[in-house]
């Protein structure tokens, strides 16, 4: 089944404790992206990647890191999480750039930073 | 700044009522536009998209949207809503061409009362 998977789905952590949220797609998509969803703010893009080893900042990259060593994986890293990073995170992928392709979204990761 | 805006934050309708959700964009030049739906507890799914051609776009589940360039709008419509349409709806877009980020609106929560 074609899908985007994220792990974990739920995570409660404490300030400053490094964490990684994994994202994987099995559709051989080139483009992958991370968003955070907050009430009243909609979805805001954190980082995106157009291919292996190519990443770029979205609208709200501060406090986050990403890597794209393999085409299928695009982990989101929070080196020192803070409470303002409490949010719902979505990973998405598309065949090419979103210019001409639909993005497929993962199920979301609900992160709480205490 | 390039953006997508949704002015209706929360809409409550009775079943069988007609729906129109507003979406405006502020990009110059040609633009790609999308409507996504997020059912409670689920991830985003594409409803419809506009890249070029017929400005009246038909999507899944009886939804349609009309691209009106002169008004910078891409409103979502459905002639008769059902209780199962209760969800949050997001408009998204970006300029066509080049490697551009997708920008999402803040979302509209639709509640359909049986």
């Amino acid at each position: 089944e074609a899908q985007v998977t994220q792990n974990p789905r739920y995570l409660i952590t404490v300030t400053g404790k490094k964490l990684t949220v994994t994202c994987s797609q099995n559709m051989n998509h080139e483009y992958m992206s991370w968003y955070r969803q907050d009430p009243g703010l909609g979805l805001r893009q954190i980082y995106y990647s157009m291919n292996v080893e190519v990443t770029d900042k979205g609208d709200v990259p501060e406090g986050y890191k990403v890597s794209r060593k393999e085409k299928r994986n695009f982990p989101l890293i929070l080196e020192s999480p803070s409470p303002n990073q409490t949010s719902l995170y979505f990973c998405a992928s598309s065949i090419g750039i979103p210019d001409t392709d639909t993005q497929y979204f993962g199920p979301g990761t609900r992160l709480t930073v205490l | 700044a390039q953006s997508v805006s949704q002015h209706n934050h929360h809409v409550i309708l009775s079943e069988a009522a007609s729906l129109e959700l507003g979406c405006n964009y502020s990009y110059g030049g040609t633009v790609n536009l999308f409507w996504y739906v997020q059912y409670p507890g689920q991830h985003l799914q594409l409803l419809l998209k506009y890249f070029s051609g017929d400005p009246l776009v038909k999507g899944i589940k009886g939804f349609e949207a009309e691209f009106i360039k002169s008004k910078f709008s891409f409103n979502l419509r459905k002639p008769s809503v059902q209780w199962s349409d209760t969800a949050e709806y997001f408009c998204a877009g970006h300029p066509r061409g080049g490697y551009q980020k997708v920008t999402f609106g803040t979302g509209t929560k639709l509640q359909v009362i049986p």
Side-chain angles (χ1 to χ4, degrees), chain A residues 3 6-8 14 18 24 28-29 38-40 44 54 65 77 86 88 91 93-94 97 105 108:
Chain A
Q3 60 183 347
Q6 295 177 228
N7 281 293
V14 295
K18 180 180 178 179
S24 182
N28 201 36
H29 285 173
D38 301 290
R44 293 177 293 168
V54 181
K65 285 176 56 177
I77 303 157
T86 292
L88 179 58
C91 181
S93 73
S94 65
I97 58 175
F105 285 82

Side-chain angles (χ1 to χ4, degrees), chain A residues 35 37 40-43 45 48 50 57-59 90 97-103 105-107, chain B residues 32 34 36 38 42-44 46 49 51 88 90 94-99 101-102 104-106:
Chain A
Y35 296 88
Q37 183 180 11
L41 297 176
L43 275 82
Q45 193 174 44
Y48 62 98
M50 291 174 289
K57 295 177 181 178
D59 295 317
F90 287 101
I97 58 175
D99 201 298
T100 54
D101 293 299
T102 303
Q103 289 191 81
F105 285 82
Chain B
N32 293 342
F34 309 80
Y36 286 87
Q38 185 178 30
Q42 296 188 26
H43 57 90
L44 279 79
L46 182 72
K49 60 187 177 184
F51 290 158
E88 190 161 14
F90 292 93
H94 70 97
R96 199 174 308 150
Y99 294 110
K101 306 190 295 277
V102 177
F104 282 78
T106 53

Side-chain angles (χ1 to χ4, degrees), chain B:
Chain B
Q2 298 166 341
S3 71
V4 171
S5 59
Q6 296 176 244
H7 303 295
N8 313 107
H9 299 297
H10 198 175
V11 173
I12 302 174
L13 294 173
S14 298
E15 274 192 317
S18 64
L19 169 72
E20 181 161 3
L21 301 181
C23 172
N24 289 95
Y25 64 92
S26 63
Y27 304 103
T30 52
V31 60
N32 293 342
L33 295 162
F34 309 80
W35 275 100
Y36 286 87
V37 60
Q38 185 178 30
Y39 297 104
Q42 296 188 26
H43 57 90
L44 279 79
Q45 304 169 45
L46 182 72
L47 269 180
L48 48 81
K49 60 187 177 184
Y50 172 78
F51 290 158
S52 63
D54 189 344
L56 184 61
V57 181
K58 294 194 183 300
I60 60 171
K61 306 187 180 188
F63 286 91
E64 65 178 32
E66 185 174 12
F67 172 65
I68 303 179
K69 190 175 180 179
S70 61
K71 295 184 178 180
F72 296 90
S73 69
F74 188 57
N75 293 354
L76 181 70
R77 300 194 294 246
K78 186 171 184 179
S80 176
V81 294
Q82 302 171 312
W83 177 78
S84 58
D85 293 324
T86 295
E88 190 161 14
Y89 294 80
F90 292 93
C91 184
H94 70 97
R96 199 174 308 150
Y99 294 110
Q100 299 286 350
K101 306 190 295 277
V102 177
T103 301
F104 282 78
T106 53
T108 298
K109 287 188 178 177
L110 171 65
Q111 185 179 354
V112 179
I113 301 170

Side-chain angles (χ1 to χ4, degrees), chain A residues 2-113:
Chain A
Q3 60 183 347
V4 178
T5 56
Q6 295 177 228
N7 281 293
R9 296 288 313 280
Y10 302 91
L11 178 61
I12 300 175
T13 189
V14 295
T15 299
K17 185 176 181 181
K18 180 180 178 179
L19 66 91
T20 299
V21 183
T22 64
C23 172
S24 182
Q25 49 91 6
N26 62 1
M27 296 170 278
N28 201 36
H29 285 173
E30 290 189 351
Y31 184 97
M32 298 185 75
S33 182
W34 275 104
Y35 296 88
R36 60 178 288 174
Q37 183 180 11
D38 301 290
L41 297 176
L43 275 82
R44 293 177 293 168
Q45 193 174 44
I46 303 171
Y47 269 95
Y48 62 98
S49 169
M50 291 174 289
N51 213 326
V52 174
E53 302 293 0
V54 181
T55 63
D56 207 347
K57 295 177 181 178
D59 295 317
V60 288
E62 294 77 22
Y64 304 94
K65 285 176 56 177
V66 293
S67 69
R68 188 90 181 274
K69 293 183 169 55
E70 303 166 283
K71 199 172 188 179
R72 62 183 292 128
N73 296 324
F74 190 45
L76 180 69
I77 303 157
L78 284 72
E79 293 271 2
S80 182
S82 61
N84 64 13
Q85 292 178 298
T86 292
S87 187
L88 179 58
Y89 292 86
F90 287 101
C91 181
S93 73
S94 65
I95 297 173
I97 58 175
D99 201 298
T100 54
D101 293 299
T102 303
Q103 289 191 81
Y104 294 85
F105 285 82
T109 295
R110 188 166 292 281
L111 171 66
T112 301
V113 183

